[in-house]
Amino acid sequence: MPTVSKRMKASAKKRPADAMPIAEAVTALKQFSATKFDQTVDIVLRLGVDAAQADQIVRGSIVLPHGIGKQLRVVVFAKGAQADAAKAAGADEVGEEDLAQKILGGWMDFDACIASPDMMKVVSPLGRVLGPRGLMPSPRAGTVTPDVAKTVAEYKAGKVEFRNDKAGNVHAPIGKLSFDAEKLAENAKAFVDRVVSLKPSAVKGIYVKSAHVSGAMTPSVRLAI
């Protein structure tokens, strides 16, 4: 059995037993024992969806009010004026067939991949590489777009994507533990509101069954949604 550290045991004793409003939950989260690094804070919502049904998939993206405390690495498939605009917006790498070959060769040093519609012939063969990692550009996720510069700017500002897993959970980073409690709470509320707004019409009964926030090395705190 895995060994539980003294720090984690001490934090577990501070864990609230009941669900709490978002602001109070974030405050409680920040009371856990500190680590030597700035932990990422994650939020997880367990949804009452049937993940096997296509009309109950919950998928979307959001630019969080205060970012996520991490500079995302963004690559863009574009050419001409679109390529120039992507570079000006802060894209880390912009290319065409050359970029596709680099990725097929094993290079995956990026967090988001964006493409202009006219580049999909180049991007499509990358599905087997990018798809399993959740990096394949798609219109539904907003990463296949005629306005690549705007999308690059959104990701650089802290845009996150999410999609329910097979168990019906959606999760995302909402910042760093060093963030002010108010900023973390606002990011968490924005994420919850976004997921709630995407409730599929086919879902009956309780939509959000539970929600938790946690640091990378802390117990989770249950949210009263």
Side-chain angles (χ1 to χ4, degrees):
M1 295 179 63
T3 301
V4 179
S5 68
K6 291 181 179 179
R7 182 192 53 76
M8 185 61 80
K9 289 179 179 178
S11 293
K13 293 179 181 178
K14 299 178 183 179
R15 183 188 185 194
D18 300 321
M20 309 176 73
I22 290 175
E24 294 179 22
V26 167
T27 297
L29 186 69
K30 291 175 70 66
Q31 300 305 311
F32 292 141
S33 301
T35 58
K36 295 181 180 179
F37 66 97
D38 193 6
Q39 300 178 52
T40 295
V41 177
D42 292 308
I43 187 169
V44 180
L45 276 64
R46 185 167 69 90
L47 305 180
V49 300
D50 183 348
Q53 303 301 316
D55 61 352
Q56 294 191 37
I57 291 175
V58 176
R59 178 179 184 178
S61 60
I62 182 174
V63 179
L64 295 172
H66 305 290
I68 59 173
K70 175 185 177 182
Q71 187 66 262
L72 297 179
R73 297 160 297 177
V74 181
V75 300
V76 177
F77 284 92
K79 58 185 178 181
Q82 288 274 43
D84 293 337
K87 292 176 183 177
D92 297 275
E93 185 115 6
V94 181
E96 301 176 46
E97 287 85 357
D98 58 331
L99 180 55
Q101 289 303 313
K102 186 175 181 178
I103 292 172
L104 285 174
W107 181 74
M108 296 293 293
D109 190 22
F110 53 92
D111 304 297
C113 183
I114 299 165
S116 59
D118 61 337
M119 295 301 296
M120 288 312 293
K121 288 185 178 180
V122 175
V123 177
S124 293
L126 301 177
R128 60 185 174 83
V129 177
L130 298 179
R133 294 174 171 81
L135 294 170
M136 185 64 182
S138 75
R140 187 171 181 179
T143 45
V144 175
T145 172
D147 194 346
V148 294
K150 177 183 177 182
T151 305
V152 168
E154 288 177 343
Y155 275 94
K156 286 295 183 178
K159 185 175 184 178
V160 295
E161 296 180 36
F162 56 88
R163 175 175 176 162
N164 65 269
D165 59 22
K166 293 180 180 179
N169 303 308
V170 292
H171 57 87
I174 57 168
K176 295 289 187 177
L177 204 55
S178 62
F179 279 23
D180 291 341
E182 183 178 355
K183 291 182 178 180
L184 273 177
E186 289 176 359
N187 276 359
K189 186 178 186 305
F191 183 82
V192 171
D193 289 347
R194 176 62 174 149
V195 173
V196 169
S197 75
L198 295 173
K199 179 182 178 181
S201 58
V203 174
K204 307 301 179 185
I206 298 174
Y207 177 47
V208 179
K209 292 188 172 182
S210 65
H212 295 77
V213 290
S214 65
M217 296 184 70
T218 73
S220 63
V221 179
R222 188 155 57 100
L223 303 176
I225 301 299

